[in-house]
Amino acid sequence: MHEAASPKPLAMPYVQRGPVTLRVLGTSVTLLESIRKRAREDLGLRLTFEVLDGVAAQQAGVLTPDSFDIYDQWFHNVDFVWPANAIQPIQVDRIKHWDMINDLPKTGRLTPHAPLGAGSNPVNLLYVQPDGSYGSRPSGNITMLPVSHNVDSFGYRTDMLPKGLDINKESWSWLLDKRWKGMVSLQNDSAIGAIDAALAAKAAGLVEFEDLGNLSLAEIDSLIDCLINLKRQQHFRAFWSNQDQASSDMVRGRVGIESLWSPAMTDLKKRNIQVRMAAPTEGYRAWYGGMSISRHVKGRTLDAAYDYLNWWISGWPGAVMARQGYYISTPELTRPHLSAAEWDFWYDGKPAAKSLPGPDGSSDMIHRGEIRDGGDYQTRMSRIAVWNTVMDEHNYLVRRWNDFMSA
């Protein structure tokens, strides 16, 4: 007689926990396919990128926070997404390399004597205050993680430079100079294009402004009336909404001078177009990009969001940004991921010791001996005239800018 077999213990049900899907909303500035692939490999995440233009990304950030997990745009947009309760505070103690982020976003400038610049300096939007507002007083929570940044100006084809204009005396006024009539293009975003236009109008002595970062109603009217008058004289050839358009217009010779961002500049260099990014005597318009976490994110997705934020400032992504002409908030972590020649060119303003690759790594974009327009990192980021900003009269500016666009 055999003993009855002992009953087997009940098996616990197996719960399969697949990789988290992280949805990132932003623009083509940072949402590159090479970034998505590498982040997916390094972090074991599923990543989807929704790439929109600046205005559309800002609107989605405010109106549909449930449609994304990470909001990747610019610090001046904190003025929209934070009051709308679209994003949640980021805990500084969960940012692994917080101490490696340099002084620019934390104090508003790289060196003690550099100008703070008008407009939305990132430090004034960075820290969450005890009453739930944001400001420059350090705290344990931030609105947006500082990531990529740069200074912008305008680009021009040196082979189309009118007589009488000196490349050693570049000025924002060139955008409105009659010698460029019919060859000028501006960025069509009201918040950014209007600042470029205001810098140009002020430099040309056409309009006076008390504060370039916060125009009054009367100053907005004066600026737009001036621009409409120039438009009716066929001064402007085009208005671009994306960098492919900006690059294409200049390649075809439709445009000789225009508001220009670094990726379009790199594209033009790859096409061997003779182009310079101006270092205006009046200073640059600066921007700071960052990442925020949507208000709805929690649990495993929140952990994944912090992993993604930490990955972005860990080194490798900063090298991809450098090859686009952008800087990263943690330059010393990025330095090992760039060759010595790349670091010398992009950050130290030295002549390229050899041909250097572009962001895709597949072609020589920078030629040996070439020097970055504007010089080294500290020099460029210490010459900020104004930051991208949201003005008190933003809605009125948008309406009047639309008047200019449709004139």
Side-chain angles (χ1 to χ4, degrees):
M1 189 173 175
H2 299 285
E3 293 183 7
S6 301
K8 293 181 179 179
L10 292 173
M12 296 298 292
Y14 176 68
V15 178
Q16 185 171 3
R17 305 188 78 184
V20 171
T21 297
L22 207 59
R23 303 166 300 164
V24 185
L25 167 70
T27 69
S28 59
V29 171
T30 48
L31 299 192
L32 310 176
E33 181 60 16
S34 60
I35 290 286
R36 193 188 69 83
K37 286 182 176 179
R38 181 64 177 259
R40 185 183 61 190
E41 293 169 6
D42 288 354
L43 299 174
L45 299 172
R46 292 193 183 104
L47 275 171
T48 63
F49 282 179
E50 184 176 5
V51 185
L52 303 175
D53 66 38
V55 174
Q58 171 202 299
Q59 290 173 340
V62 171
L63 299 175
T64 59
D66 290 344
S67 70
F68 62 87
D69 304 309
I70 300 287
Y71 174 69
D72 179 345
Q73 209 171 4
W74 305 306
F75 258 86
H76 67 278
N77 293 116
V78 169
D79 275 330
F80 294 113
V81 293
W82 185 265
N85 193 33
I87 57 175
Q88 61 178 278
I90 295 169
Q91 299 171 35
V92 170
D93 61 8
R94 295 191 67 174
I95 301 302
K96 182 179 178 182
H97 299 297
W98 176 255
D99 290 342
M100 296 296 290
I101 293 175
N102 69 16
D103 284 345
L104 183 58
K106 292 176 178 177
T107 69
R109 49 189 164 198
L110 272 180
T111 61
H113 302 295
L116 288 168
S120 295
N121 192 307
V123 70
N124 296 323
L125 305 165
L126 181 61
Y127 295 103
V128 179
Q129 303 300 299
D131 64 358
S133 64
Y134 46 80
S136 60
R137 184 186 295 273
S139 73
N141 293 305
I142 56 175
T143 58
M144 179 176 272
L145 178 70
V147 185
S148 53
H149 53 285
N150 200 15
V151 285
D152 289 333
S153 59
F154 58 89
Y156 61 96
R157 284 186 51 158
T158 56
D159 58 333
M160 296 171 67
L161 184 67
K163 290 182 179 179
L165 296 180
D166 184 352
I167 64 171
N168 296 309
K169 296 178 181 178
E170 294 162 333
S171 168
W172 281 100
S173 65
W174 288 15
L175 285 170
L176 304 183
D177 193 298
K178 292 180 179 178
R179 286 167 285 191
W180 283 109
K181 180 179 177 180
M183 295 184 286
V184 180
S185 179
L186 294 179
Q187 210 272 339
N188 73 354
D189 180 293
S190 58
I192 298 172
I195 294 177
D196 286 355
L199 282 159
K202 181 179 181 181
L206 299 174
V207 186
E208 283 298 318
F209 306 104
E210 186 174 333
D211 180 355
L212 265 172
N214 198 20
L215 306 187
S216 68
L217 293 172
E219 289 170 341
I220 291 170
D221 284 337
S222 296
L223 173 64
I224 300 301
D225 291 347
C226 172
L227 295 175
I228 289 174
N229 183 47
L230 285 165
K231 188 177 183 184
R232 287 173 176 161
Q233 297 174 39
Q234 282 79 52
H235 182 78
F236 302 104
R237 183 66 180 268
F239 301 93
W240 59 264
S241 60
N242 63 70
Q243 300 187 81
D244 288 341
Q245 181 186 349
S247 176
S248 175
D249 284 344
M250 197 166 267
V251 167
R252 293 159 57 197
R254 293 184 72 242
V255 165
I257 184 170
E258 63 182 346
S259 303
L260 201 62
W261 298 354
S262 195
M265 183 75 174
T266 59
D267 182 63
L268 289 164
K269 284 184 176 293
K270 279 195 290 188
R271 296 168 183 260
N272 293 314
I273 303 298
Q274 298 176 48
V275 62
R276 264 182 65 88
M277 182 73 84
T281 57
E282 300 87 7
Y284 293 99
R285 176 182 51 74
W287 59 269
Y288 216 114
M291 298 178 195
S292 299
I293 302 174
S294 178
R295 67 183 182 194
H296 73 85
V297 178
K298 57 186 178 181
R300 292 179 66 217
T301 307
L302 182 60
D303 293 339
Y306 275 103
D307 288 344
Y308 183 72
L309 266 56
N310 281 313
W311 176 83
W312 249 102
I313 59 172
S314 65
W316 185 86
V320 177
M321 292 295 101
R323 297 180 189 114
Q324 285 206 136
Y326 298 150
Y327 303 117
I328 199 75
S329 59
T330 51
E332 290 305 319
L333 293 177
T334 279
R335 188 169 188 158
H337 296 270
L338 294 169
S339 69
E342 287 179 309
W343 179 269
D344 286 349
F345 177 83
W346 291 114
Y347 274 87
D348 278 354
K350 297 177 182 177
K354 59 182 181 179
S355 294
L356 303 177
D360 59 5
S362 62
S363 60
D364 290 338
M365 184 185 72
I366 304 299
H367 305 297
R368 182 179 178 181
E370 191 173 331
I371 298 175
R372 182 170 190 177
D373 298 332
D376 64 274
Y377 176 55
Q378 185 165 306
T379 298
R380 297 176 94 245
M381 296 307 301
S382 296
R383 295 191 60 246
I384 297 169
V386 61
W387 291 89
N388 284 356
T389 191
V390 178
M391 301 184 188
D392 291 345
E393 301 297 344
H394 173 77
N395 292 334
Y396 186 71
L397 175 63
V398 171
R399 290 200 299 272
R400 289 308 324 270
W401 185 259
N402 289 338
D403 292 342
F404 167 47
M405 289 291 105
S406 60

